[in-house]
Amino acid sequence: PQQLFRLRLQPFCNCLTPFTAYILAKTIQMADDEGKIIKQEEDYTEQVDAALPTATSLREDGKLNEAVDGLLPLEKKARIAADVKSTSRILVHIVTMCFEAQAWDTMAEYIVIFMKRRGQLKKAISDMIAKACEYLEQAPDKETTLKMIETLRVVTAGKIHVELERARLTMKLAKMKEEEGKITEAAEVLQELQVETYGSMEKQEKVEFILEQMRLCLAKQDWIRAGIISKKISVKFFEGEDTAELKLKYYHQMLELAQHDERYLDMSRYHRAIFDTPSVQEDPVQWRPALQNAVFFLVLAPFDSEQSDLLPRVMEEAKLEELPETKAVLDAFQSKEIVPWQQFEAQHGEVLQATGIFAHQSSEMGKKLWEALKSRVIEHNIRILAQYYERISTGRMAELLNLEEADAERYLSTLVSNGTITAKIDRPSKVVVFQPKKRAVDILNQWTESLSGLMTHVDKATHLMNKERMVHQA
């Protein structure tokens, strides 16, 4: 509002005398955050210039209270007269004197008093809080720091003009609690703030703040809240410059969240996003595992339209040629041939177990991923069978899959339940029918098409016979 008001008055100001233009500019400068114009009634700059050195001398003599008391009447006059600059200088000087005297309790007391003053100017408050936060970094001990942080957080609660300082104080408090091992308390403190609504905070700082909220939620295993917080970050932000570090941090946290929910397709996309980062592309030590993990989690993902669409697109990656073992695994899932699990394990098991994903098969997660891989190989083989067979006996299907009949039927039932394939099992006959049951309308349409084709052939044969007869008659 201030800028817009200033632009609209610019042509008018050119017609004013220098003194009038100066007064108008000072009036505009007094505009508060809501766009309301505050008119300065009197200028106390000279009185403040004279009072501050006197207060400093008293403070150096050890008379801090007398120094502050001498400034309070002048602060009141400047505040009532809406002299923002003078009021701000007085408040900042009082905080500075308390810091120089190491009177932290006195500083906290006067900050609370000034925040409660009637008609206190927002700019003066902002300057005072900013200076207090600056001195907070030099607090003598942890107890004093915690006390000052709590005081500043209480007095700035609900005040938009100091929301940035309060957010930074909250971040500092959360880190201190985390250092004490209080992960839950640190996460709860940090989650109080919705920084995505802060207009005074830069976008990059917002992302850093939200990533810290995510990290603490993951640390205390609050997976649901971590997922909600992650949606506050738009991935378009990482397309800008100097965002590579934040991008990698974001996707590593998303990988941890997706791994807990066993969303392997999402994990593949996250690894691919890490792989596509320019800084990662320049370092083979980083891009090789990123590309490998993108491929392996892609084949671990259950078959659907999105997974089948990503497979050929990943195959087009040029750097995959430098990882022949990884490319061979991808080729196995792209082929239209049956690859029994025992054969697949013999060909690729050693390479897969050497990677970070399947390296720890003794752990619960390693066993779960290995079983998921086995299921995907068998499901791939069943999909290939469905493409080549309309009917097949359960014994023959189990033989082709190199499984027991019960296991083959279990995997088949899973695919049917997921809607991946259409099949029915005739248990008395022990026959699997991969063709869906046709509706009456479909049967009628097929009969109509067949009849139309038959009549077309009859018409063609009649035409040829008539042509031949005419040739002989001639």
Side-chain angles (χ1 to χ4, degrees), residues 26-217:
K26 292 292 290 183
T27 304
I28 295 174
Q29 187 179 0
M30 297 301 106
D32 63 6
D33 295 339
E34 298 175 357
K36 181 180 177 181
I37 303 300
I38 301 176
K39 183 180 179 181
Q40 180 176 339
E41 298 178 356
E42 195 170 349
D43 190 354
Y44 287 92
T45 303
E46 295 181 0
Q47 293 89 324
V48 172
D49 291 340
L52 294 185
T54 303
T56 301
S57 300
L58 291 173
R59 198 277 309 164
E60 291 175 351
D61 296 336
K63 301 177 181 179
L64 177 62
N65 292 331
E66 289 82 348
V68 175
D69 290 342
L71 293 177
L72 292 180
L74 185 57
E75 181 272 335
K76 181 179 180 180
K77 292 179 181 179
R79 171 166 45 85
I80 295 175
D83 188 353
V84 177
K85 185 177 180 181
S86 299
T87 306
S88 177
R89 289 178 61 192
I90 294 171
L91 298 188
V92 170
H93 193 74
I94 291 175
V95 171
T96 301
M97 289 193 301
C98 292
F99 168 73
E100 293 173 348
Q102 291 296 297
W104 295 94
D105 291 339
T106 304
M107 183 192 298
E109 179 183 349
Y110 278 111
I111 287 175
V112 174
I113 291 173
F114 290 139
M115 292 293 290
K116 294 181 178 179
R117 294 284 195 190
R118 180 177 177 272
Q120 188 60 273
L121 304 173
K122 294 181 178 180
K123 181 65 169 61
I125 291 175
S126 300
D127 294 342
M128 177 185 67
I129 296 297
K131 181 60 69 173
C133 293
E134 178 183 338
Y135 290 141
L136 186 63
E137 302 295 332
Q138 307 177 42
D141 51 46
K142 186 175 181 179
E143 182 180 355
T144 302
T145 303
L146 287 173
K147 187 174 181 180
M148 282 299 301
I149 288 177
E150 288 299 333
T151 301
L152 292 172
R153 290 183 72 244
V154 168
V155 298
T156 56
K159 294 178 172 57
I160 298 177
H161 51 286
V162 286
E163 61 185 5
L164 182 59
E165 288 77 8
R166 188 171 194 275
R168 292 171 178 170
L169 288 170
T170 305
M171 175 72 78
K172 185 177 181 63
L173 178 60
K175 290 181 178 179
M176 294 178 68
K177 288 186 177 295
E178 185 181 9
E179 291 174 358
E180 297 174 356
K182 301 176 181 179
I183 303 296
T184 303
E185 293 184 15
E188 291 176 353
V189 166
L190 209 58
Q191 289 164 16
E192 294 177 0
L193 305 179
Q194 308 297 326
V195 294
E196 66 275 8
T197 64
Y198 289 2
S200 57
M201 183 179 288
E202 295 292 333
K203 184 177 292 187
Q204 183 164 347
E205 189 174 359
K206 287 182 183 181
V207 173
E208 292 175 354
F209 201 102
I210 295 173
L211 287 176
E212 191 67 16
Q213 289 179 328
M214 281 184 61
R215 187 185 65 81
L216 290 175
C217 286

Side-chain angles (χ1 to χ4, degrees), residues 98 115 178 228 261 265 342 370 417:
C98 292
M115 292 293 290
E178 185 181 9
I228 295 173
D261 299 334
L265 187 60
Q342 291 78 4
W370 195 253
S417 299

Side-chain angles (χ1 to χ4, degrees), residues 232-245:
K232 297 179 180 180
I233 299 178
S234 173
V235 294
K236 292 182 179 179
F237 167 78
F238 301 118
E239 297 175 2
E241 299 180 357
D242 301 328
T243 59
E245 184 178 352

